[in-house]
Amino acid sequence: MTVNSIGAVFQITYIVTFIVYADKEKKMRMLGMLLGVFGLLAIIVAGSLQIADRATRWIFVGFLSCASLISMFASPLFIINLVIRTRSVEFMPFYLSLSTFLMSTSFLLYGVFNFDAFIYVPNGIGTILGILQLALYFRYKAKSMEESNEPLMVSQA
Protein backbone atom coordinates (compact mmCIF):
# COMPACT_ATOMS: atom_id res chain seq x y z
CA MET A 1 0.00 0.00 0.00
CA THR A 2 2.85 2.39 0.77
CA VAL A 3 4.51 1.94 -2.62
CA ASN A 4 1.23 2.39 -4.49
CA SER A 5 0.31 5.45 -2.43
CA ILE A 6 3.65 7.10 -3.19
CA GLY A 7 3.26 6.18 -6.86
CA ALA A 8 -0.25 7.65 -6.90
CA VAL A 9 1.03 10.92 -5.40
CA PHE A 10 3.75 11.13 -8.08
CA GLN A 11 1.24 10.38 -10.85
CA ILE A 12 -1.25 12.96 -9.60
CA THR A 13 1.55 15.53 -9.31
CA TYR A 14 2.59 14.79 -12.88
CA ILE A 15 -0.99 15.03 -14.17
CA VAL A 16 -1.67 18.29 -12.33
CA THR A 17 1.57 19.77 -13.70
CA PHE A 18 0.59 18.66 -17.20
CA ILE A 19 -2.90 20.16 -16.83
CA VAL A 20 -1.51 23.47 -15.55
CA TYR A 21 0.83 23.93 -18.53
CA ALA A 22 -1.21 22.30 -21.32
CA ASP A 23 -3.21 24.23 -23.87
CA LYS A 24 -6.96 24.47 -23.33
CA GLU A 25 -7.94 21.59 -25.65
CA LYS A 26 -5.49 19.12 -24.07
CA LYS A 27 -6.36 20.40 -20.61
CA MET A 28 -10.07 19.67 -21.11
CA ARG A 29 -9.36 16.28 -22.64
CA MET A 30 -7.08 15.32 -19.73
CA LEU A 31 -9.59 16.55 -17.15
CA GLY A 32 -12.28 14.44 -18.84
CA MET A 33 -10.07 11.37 -18.79
CA LEU A 34 -9.11 12.04 -15.17
CA LEU A 35 -12.77 12.30 -14.18
CA GLY A 36 -13.43 9.04 -16.02
CA VAL A 37 -10.63 7.28 -14.12
CA PHE A 38 -11.84 8.59 -10.76
CA GLY A 39 -15.40 7.58 -11.68
CA LEU A 40 -14.25 4.07 -12.55
CA LEU A 41 -12.30 3.90 -9.30
CA ALA A 42 -15.40 4.95 -7.34
CA ILE A 43 -17.48 2.27 -9.09
CA ILE A 44 -14.86 -0.40 -8.32
CA VAL A 45 -14.58 0.63 -4.67
CA ALA A 46 -18.35 0.81 -4.22
CA GLY A 47 -18.87 -2.47 -6.06
CA SER A 48 -16.22 -4.34 -4.13
CA LEU A 49 -17.59 -3.08 -0.82
CA GLN A 50 -20.96 -4.59 -1.77
CA ILE A 51 -19.42 -8.07 -1.78
CA ALA A 52 -20.12 -9.41 1.70
CA ASP A 53 -17.80 -12.43 1.60
CA ARG A 54 -14.25 -11.30 2.33
CA ALA A 55 -12.59 -14.10 0.30
CA THR A 56 -14.74 -13.32 -2.75
CA ARG A 57 -13.94 -9.60 -2.42
CA TRP A 58 -10.23 -10.44 -2.15
CA ILE A 59 -10.39 -12.49 -5.36
CA PHE A 60 -12.42 -9.78 -7.16
CA VAL A 61 -9.99 -7.00 -6.24
CA GLY A 62 -7.01 -9.29 -6.91
CA PHE A 63 -8.16 -10.04 -10.46
CA LEU A 64 -8.80 -6.35 -11.12
CA SER A 65 -5.32 -5.53 -9.81
CA CYS A 66 -3.78 -8.24 -12.01
CA ALA A 67 -5.58 -6.90 -15.06
CA SER A 68 -4.46 -3.33 -14.42
CA LEU A 69 -0.84 -4.38 -13.76
CA ILE A 70 -0.70 -6.51 -16.90
CA SER A 71 -2.12 -3.65 -18.97
CA MET A 72 0.50 -1.32 -17.47
CA PHE A 73 3.33 -3.74 -18.31
CA ALA A 74 1.90 -4.42 -21.77
CA SER A 75 1.54 -0.75 -22.75
CA PRO A 76 5.18 -0.53 -23.94
CA LEU A 77 4.31 -3.18 -26.56
CA PHE A 78 3.20 -0.29 -28.80
CA ILE A 79 6.69 1.18 -28.53
CA ILE A 80 8.28 -2.25 -29.05
CA ASN A 81 6.43 -2.50 -32.36
CA LEU A 82 7.79 0.94 -33.34
CA VAL A 83 11.33 -0.05 -32.31
CA ILE A 84 11.21 -3.17 -34.48
CA ARG A 85 9.73 -1.32 -37.47
CA THR A 86 12.17 1.61 -37.33
CA ARG A 87 15.10 -0.40 -35.92
CA SER A 88 15.71 2.50 -33.55
CA VAL A 89 15.31 2.89 -29.77
CA GLU A 90 14.78 6.64 -30.06
CA PHE A 91 11.29 6.43 -28.54
CA MET A 92 12.07 3.82 -25.86
CA PRO A 93 13.83 5.41 -22.87
CA PHE A 94 16.43 3.05 -21.40
CA TYR A 95 15.99 4.06 -17.77
CA LEU A 96 12.22 3.61 -17.94
CA SER A 97 12.69 0.11 -19.36
CA LEU A 98 15.35 -0.73 -16.77
CA SER A 99 13.33 0.56 -13.81
CA THR A 100 10.19 -1.27 -14.98
CA PHE A 101 12.20 -4.49 -15.26
CA LEU A 102 13.81 -4.07 -11.82
CA MET A 103 10.50 -3.15 -10.16
CA SER A 104 8.58 -6.04 -11.69
CA THR A 105 11.38 -8.48 -10.84
CA SER A 106 11.47 -7.36 -7.20
CA PHE A 107 7.70 -7.70 -6.88
CA LEU A 108 7.84 -11.06 -8.67
CA LEU A 109 10.23 -12.33 -6.00
CA TYR A 110 8.13 -10.76 -3.23
CA GLY A 111 5.03 -12.53 -4.57
CA VAL A 112 6.82 -15.85 -4.89
CA PHE A 113 8.20 -15.67 -1.35
CA ASN A 114 4.75 -14.78 0.00
CA PHE A 115 2.89 -17.34 -2.18
CA ASP A 116 0.64 -14.58 -3.60
CA ALA A 117 -0.36 -15.27 -7.20
CA PHE A 118 -1.99 -11.85 -7.48
CA ILE A 119 1.48 -10.36 -7.09
CA TYR A 120 3.78 -12.84 -8.83
CA VAL A 121 1.69 -13.55 -11.96
CA PRO A 122 1.39 -9.98 -13.31
CA ASN A 123 4.91 -9.09 -12.19
CA GLY A 124 6.26 -12.27 -13.81
CA ILE A 125 4.67 -11.10 -17.07
CA GLY A 126 6.17 -7.66 -16.43
CA THR A 127 9.61 -9.21 -15.89
CA ILE A 128 9.39 -11.09 -19.19
CA LEU A 129 8.26 -7.95 -21.02
CA GLY A 130 11.06 -5.99 -19.30
CA ILE A 131 13.64 -8.50 -20.51
CA LEU A 132 12.18 -8.18 -24.02
CA GLN A 133 12.42 -4.38 -23.87
CA LEU A 134 16.02 -4.44 -22.63
CA ALA A 135 17.01 -7.03 -25.26
CA LEU A 136 15.49 -4.86 -28.00
CA TYR A 137 17.22 -1.81 -26.58
CA PHE A 138 20.65 -3.46 -26.73
CA ARG A 139 19.88 -4.97 -30.14
CA TYR A 140 18.99 -1.64 -31.77
CA LYS A 141 21.02 0.78 -29.62
CA ALA A 142 24.06 0.80 -31.90
CA LYS A 143 21.97 1.56 -34.98
CA SER A 144 20.22 4.40 -33.16
CA MET A 145 23.58 5.85 -32.09
CA GLU A 146 24.92 5.66 -35.67
CA GLU A 147 21.88 7.53 -36.96
CA SER A 148 22.12 10.15 -34.22
CA ASN A 149 25.65 11.03 -35.39
CA GLU A 150 24.22 12.24 -38.69
CA PRO A 151 23.45 15.96 -38.79
CA LEU A 152 19.81 16.95 -38.41
CA MET A 153 20.12 19.47 -41.20
CA VAL A 154 22.44 19.31 -44.17
CA SER A 155 24.07 22.59 -45.09
CA GLN A 156 23.56 23.57 -48.73
CA ALA A 157 26.31 26.21 -48.59
Side-chain angles (χ1 to χ4, degrees), residues 1 19 30 33 64 79 84 87 89 91 96-97 115 124 148:
M1 187 169 159
I19 289 172
M30 185 59 69
M33 288 177 20
L64 286 176
I79 296 299
I84 292 170
R87 299 188 185 284
V89 292
F91 301 107
L96 180 62
S97 299
F115 307 105
S148 68

Side-chain angles (χ1 to χ4, degrees), residues 9 42 64 76 80 113 116 126 136 157:
V9 168
L64 286 176
I80 288 173
F113 292 144
D116 191 342
L136 282 173

Side-chain angles (χ1 to χ4, degrees), residues 36-140:
V37 167
F38 282 134
L40 183 62
L41 177 66
I43 290 169
I44 290 170
V45 168
S48 65
L49 290 175
Q50 298 302 314
I51 301 172
D53 182 40
R54 185 176 177 166
T56 305
R57 184 177 358 166
W58 182 74
I59 290 172
F60 174 74
V61 172
F63 277 123
L64 286 176
S65 298
C66 279
S68 68
L69 270 173
I70 291 170
S71 69
M72 180 189 76
F73 290 133
S75 63
L77 290 176
F78 296 108
I79 296 299
I80 288 173
N81 183 27
L82 182 65
V83 168
I84 292 170
R85 275 191 295 122
T86 62
R87 299 188 185 284
S88 170
V89 292
E90 179 182 0
F91 301 107
M92 190 171 76
F94 172 73
Y95 290 113
L96 180 62
S97 299
L98 178 64
S99 62
T100 300
F101 166 71
L102 292 174
M103 187 271 313
S104 60
T105 302
S106 63
F107 275 101
L108 166 67
L109 294 173
Y110 176 80
V112 167
F113 292 144
N114 288 294
F115 307 105
D116 191 342
F118 291 132
I119 295 176
Y120 70 72
V121 168
N123 285 290
I125 293 169
T127 299
I128 292 167
L129 292 174
I131 291 169
L132 176 64
Q133 282 182 321
L134 292 172
L136 282 173
Y137 186 86
F138 288 112
R139 165 87 166 88
Y140 294 117

